[in-house]
Amino acid sequence: LKVRNEEDFIKKLDCSPDQHLKVVSIFGNTGDGKSHTLNHTFFYGREVFKTSPAQESCTVGVWAAYDPVRKVVVIDTEGLLGATVNLSQRTRLLLKVLAISDLVIYRTRADRLHNDLFKFLGDASEAYLKHFTKELKATTARCGLDVPLSTLGPGVIIFHETVYTKLLGSDHPSEVPEKLIQDRFRKLSCFPEAFSSIHYKGTRTYNPPTDFSGLRRAVEQQLENNTTRSPRQPGVIYKALKALSDRFSGEIPDDQMAHSSFFPDEYFTCSSVCLSCGCGCKKSMNHAKEGVPHESKSRCRYSHQYDNRVYTCKACYERGMEVSVVPKTSASTDSPWLGLAKYAWSGYVIECPNCGVVYRSRQYWFGNQDPVNTVVRTEIEHVWPGTDGFLKDNNNAAQRLLDGMNFMAQSVSELSLGPTKAVTSWLTDQIAPAYWRPNSQILSCNKCNTPFKDNDTKHHCRACGEGFCDGCSSKTRPVPERGWGPAPVRVCDNCYENRGIQLDVAELPSDEEGGTLIARKVGEAVQNTLGAVVTAMDIPLGLVKDAARPAYWVPDHEILHCHNCRKEFSIKLSKHHCRACGQGFCDECSHDRRAVPSRGWDHPVRVCFNCNKKPGDL
């Protein structure tokens, strides 16, 4: 549309915004005198629409003028079969004009009616019913009209000018030309049922100029008939045209399809194709703007490249809900370090928002069945271009460890501690029993009050959970009531002396402490994870990065400039990966932090400016 808005449209037409109008448009092959016909039928021969004796087409695109006598908007269109670029877009444009018209004149100068006339009208009718009716109904609802714009399409007048041949039906007065036209449509298997009526108006020109009086009368007669299409304000005409223009816009690939029909489905349906199986989307164009997802008529096939297998929770499915689940390194309730400690022990988890953790890959050391046979259903889904692929990457454990490292490195520099100490106290806090006082709160020994220095070791009494120096907690005794089993463990001097008095811990929920087994498991997991952490701390971060990159991240060497602001990366401008889409950004375009549960990050991590704008969970 070359018109900016409704006011501009009304101003250029030079009509009143409250005036009720109808729309008349003209179609036909190039050089058949369409502009000339409109000038003589509506404007008494004045050259309102440009005409030219040159070979090149004088009408490019679509033009409109207002006839104040008959109160109609007259629309002139580009001729069919002309030499033109972007043929597909131009042909689609004709159908948008046809959809908003009340009356369509098909102008032909052929001595005999050609098949392309019937083919054009038949295809236009089919495309109108299939693609435009729904959009016009939506416009009607938006504009609050009583009369639906789309009950029936426009009326058609076939204006046939001959020189050497007789007009249709003039041989036998009993033959009605409209009946002959209907027979011809039927023979060609074209069914123009979208049009409210089809009339034939012929004129034979023995000597120029052409006589347009018969066409003028036929047009006026059709315009007076308000039974199927009633006049409407120019604003409504503009809104309908704008709605169709916005919905059915964009490039059309130059396929062979365009030649089998005037208006193939490709002109109006979404052009996206599944990357895995090659099937096209069946939704109409630009449906993504309304938040409607892509959809295909056929099922997809599995592709290793896109890993388009999606898991849904079996228990929820049996209850009538479809809930997708993502295998990942830790449950959402675990903090990053606890998650890694558990991952070292029990592998990946599958967590359902309704049922909680439904599977841990190494929960039992043997006899653990594959989740596909027990707790999840598998579906293969289409991979559409521009979507974020399949958000179920359980291979980012190493990157999560690195993210934790960076977080720890910041804490370390703030606390100016040796890395191992910081990691130890942090990790101990994360997986310590609930009754232990956090390391960060222990500033001095609970018994002798000696302040702890940076490198002093703090010891927890296994009985009371307070923090002590080595001297005040050197004794050991069994603390079975706290879940430490029959083996002797470190206790403070006071708890050692009071060992005959049973600690009142009955009110503690048993599952929170988890008994002796959990204590032993946690201890082992801490050692494993600590080993990994300390080793990772000693290796330069750059070397670890490549090995730790999740599969969906764009490799560093391929990232030359920021995906958003296009700034070129240099030594001064660092690259950062968005944890949701995997593209590379500068710090400025990716300073937001959000949890990305679909990728296995349940805690706020770096996301880019675009992903942060997306509603709902990432």
Side-chain angles (χ1 to χ4, degrees):
L1 274 176
K2 299 290 181 191
V3 185
R4 286 194 303 278
N5 51 33
E6 208 175 299
E7 291 72 34
D8 196 24
F9 178 71
I10 294 166
K11 186 172 155 219
K12 285 189 172 171
L13 275 182
D14 194 19
C15 66
S16 149
D18 302 323
Q19 183 67 60
H20 282 64
L21 315 170
K22 281 194 169 187
V23 180
V24 177
S25 56
I26 192 160
F27 296 94
N29 291 340
T30 186
D32 270 354
K34 297 182 298 301
S35 308
H36 182 72
T37 304
L38 292 181
N39 290 339
H40 282 270
T41 308
F42 294 95
F43 302 105
Y44 308 105
R46 277 188 301 122
E47 192 170 301
V48 172
F49 295 108
K50 188 168 160 271
T51 58
S52 148
Q55 271 297 320
E56 289 76 39
S57 179
C58 55
T59 305
V60 176
V62 171
W63 295 78
Y66 173 55
D67 172 9
V69 179
R70 294 171 191 80
K71 303 202 173 20
V72 288
V73 176
V74 185
I75 297 183
D76 190 12
T77 63
E78 195 169 331
L80 298 164
L81 308 180
T84 180
V85 288
N86 296 345
L87 178 68
S88 307
Q89 271 105 312
R90 288 169 190 275
T91 314
R92 180 173 63 189
L93 182 62
L94 296 182
L95 194 58
K96 294 179 196 174
V97 172
L98 184 138
I100 61 152
S101 302
D102 297 292
L103 185 61
V104 169
I105 301 168
Y106 192 99
R107 166 80 157 112
T108 177
R109 267 190 180 148
D111 270 337
R112 294 185 178 87
L113 293 177
H114 292 168
N115 275 356
D116 61 358
L117 178 155
F118 298 97
K119 189 100 175 68
F120 175 85
L121 291 173
D123 290 345
S125 163
E126 191 184 333
Y128 176 85
L129 292 172
K130 195 169 181 181
H131 303 289
F132 279 47
T133 318
K134 190 167 142 223
E135 197 57 36
L136 286 167
K137 276 193 175 135
T139 310
T140 311
R142 280 200 296 273
C143 301
L145 290 177
D146 304 334
V147 182
L149 287 169
S150 58
T151 4
L152 270 173
V156 175
I157 295 177
I158 296 172
F159 181 52
H160 185 202
E161 182 184 0
T162 67
V163 179
Y164 305 108
T165 52
K166 294 177 181 172
L167 296 173
L168 202 62
S170 59
D171 287 345
H172 308 285
S174 59
E175 283 182 341
V176 182
E178 281 77 8
K179 171 86 171 60
L180 297 170
I181 282 174
Q182 290 292 357
D183 291 344
R184 184 86 176 268
F185 271 118
R186 209 169 296 117
K187 276 181 195 157
L188 290 169
S189 303
C190 296
F191 302 100
E193 60 252 29
F195 302 117
S196 49
S197 62
I198 294 184
H199 294 277
Y200 173 85
K201 188 43 81 188
T203 180
R204 190 165 175 185
T205 308
Y206 295 101
N207 295 306
T210 308
D211 175 19
F212 292 106
S213 58
L215 174 64
R216 196 178 297 119
R217 280 196 302 278
V219 165
E220 283 167 356
Q221 192 183 337
Q222 286 295 312
L223 290 173
E224 280 166 20
N225 175 8
N226 288 339
T227 49
T228 52
R229 313 271 288 201
S230 54
R232 54 216 180 274
Q233 292 165 332
V236 174
I237 296 169
Y238 175 78
K239 278 179 188 145
L241 196 50
K242 176 109 176 71
L244 295 176
S245 183
D246 289 349
R247 169 44 76 91
F248 302 108
S249 61
E251 293 292 318
I252 302 171
D254 285 334
D255 279 324
Q256 301 312 307
M257 304 293 297
H259 307 304
S260 59
S261 158
F262 268 103
F263 301 104
D265 283 354
E266 285 73 14
Y267 285 13
F268 309 102
T269 51
C270 177
S271 58
S272 293
V273 172
C274 169
L275 300 173
S276 179
C277 68
C279 289
C281 170
K282 66 176 187 182
K283 296 282 184 192
S284 71
M285 279 189 161
N286 299 314
H287 60 88
K289 288 179 186 169
E290 294 166 14
V292 178
H294 293 290
E295 196 182 321
S296 174
K297 290 173 184 163
S298 56
R299 294 178 71 91
C300 194
R301 62 169 179 263
Y302 179 68
S303 149
H304 279 283
Q305 181 188 354
Y306 299 107
D307 191 20
N308 51 335
R309 190 188 285 125
V310 172
Y311 298 122
T312 51
C313 174
K314 206 175 248 181
C316 291
Y317 180 75
E318 284 164 5
R319 292 200 294 271
M321 295 178 289
E322 192 129 335
V323 180
S324 290
V325 291
V326 181
K328 51 189 174 182
T329 50
S330 68
S332 55
T333 48
D334 302 341
S335 66
W337 287 99
L338 177 57
L340 283 166
K342 282 192 179 171
Y343 181 61
W345 175 259
S346 58
Y348 70 86
V349 294
I350 296 179
E351 184 178 19
C352 165
N354 299 332
C355 313
V357 174
V358 291
Y359 182 83
R360 281 190 187 271
S361 64
R362 294 205 293 266
Q363 186 150 20
Y364 313 106
W365 290 103
F366 57 90
N368 200 6
Q369 287 177 299
D370 181 32
V372 175
N373 304 333
T374 50
V375 293
V376 296
R377 293 171 67 252
T378 311
E379 281 181 26
I380 308 300
E381 291 208 348
H382 291 285
V383 187
W384 301 106
T387 54
D388 291 336
F390 284 81
L391 310 181
K392 51 175 190 34
D393 208 326
N394 58 340
N395 309 326
N396 56 11
Q399 185 59 40
R400 285 162 56 84
L401 179 63
L402 274 185
D403 272 9
M405 305 291 278
N406 288 336
F407 182 75
M408 279 308 305
Q410 286 162 19
S411 313
V412 169
S413 61
E414 285 160 20
L415 300 168
S416 69
L417 285 177
T420 318
K421 270 278 183 265
V423 172
T424 313
S425 66
W426 166 268
L427 196 55
T428 315
D429 276 354
Q430 292 305 309
I431 53 179
Y435 68 94
W436 280 24
R437 182 177 293 283
N439 276 298
S440 54
Q441 292 178 18
I442 303 171
L443 305 175
S444 58
C445 170
N446 196 51
K447 188 181 182 198
C448 67
N449 287 328
T450 310
F452 285 116
K453 293 193 179 70
D454 281 355
N455 289 326
D456 290 348
T457 307
K458 303 168 185 177
H459 297 285
H460 283 85
C461 167
R462 297 333 188 228
C464 65
E466 293 293 345
F468 298 88
C469 64
D470 189 49
C472 300
S473 62
S474 55
K475 300 181 172 60
T476 59
R477 73 166 177 86
V479 189
E481 65 274 19
R482 287 287 197 188
W484 293 96
V489 287
R490 180 188 291 271
V491 290
C492 66
D493 294 353
N494 289 343
C495 292
Y496 184 76
E497 285 154 17
N498 299 336
R499 62 186 179 280
I501 304 160
Q502 180 68 30
L503 273 170
D504 185 18
V505 291
E507 75 280 359
L508 277 171
S510 58
D511 61 339
E512 193 177 306
E513 295 308 326
T516 53
L517 185 65
I518 291 288
R520 209 172 305 132
K521 267 189 186 179
V522 166
E524 199 166 323
V526 171
Q527 283 156 22
N528 291 349
T529 313
L530 262 183
V533 169
V534 175
T535 320
M537 275 290 184
D538 297 337
I539 300 170
L541 212 56
L543 291 178
V544 189
K545 261 189 168 171
D546 265 6
R549 175 185 295 106
Y552 67 95
W553 280 23
V554 179
D556 279 25
H557 63 84
E558 286 178 23
I559 302 169
L560 304 176
H561 38 65
C562 171
H563 193 66
N564 185 44
C565 69
R566 316 305 288 173
K567 270 187 209 153
E568 212 161 297
F569 287 118
S570 61
I571 300 163
K572 288 180 183 170
L573 191 65
S574 332
K575 303 170 186 177
H576 300 280
H577 281 87
C578 166
R579 302 315 192 236
C581 66
Q583 294 288 351
F585 295 87
C586 64
D587 184 50
E588 213 169 289
C589 298
S590 63
H591 57 69
D592 298 301
R593 299 288 184 272
R594 246 177 101 173
V596 187
S598 56
R599 294 283 197 193
W601 271 280
D602 287 306
H603 301 273
V605 284
R606 181 185 293 273
V607 291
C608 67
F609 171 72
N610 297 326
C611 291
N612 193 42
K613 284 197 294 196
K614 291 181 184 172
D617 282 346
L618 286 176

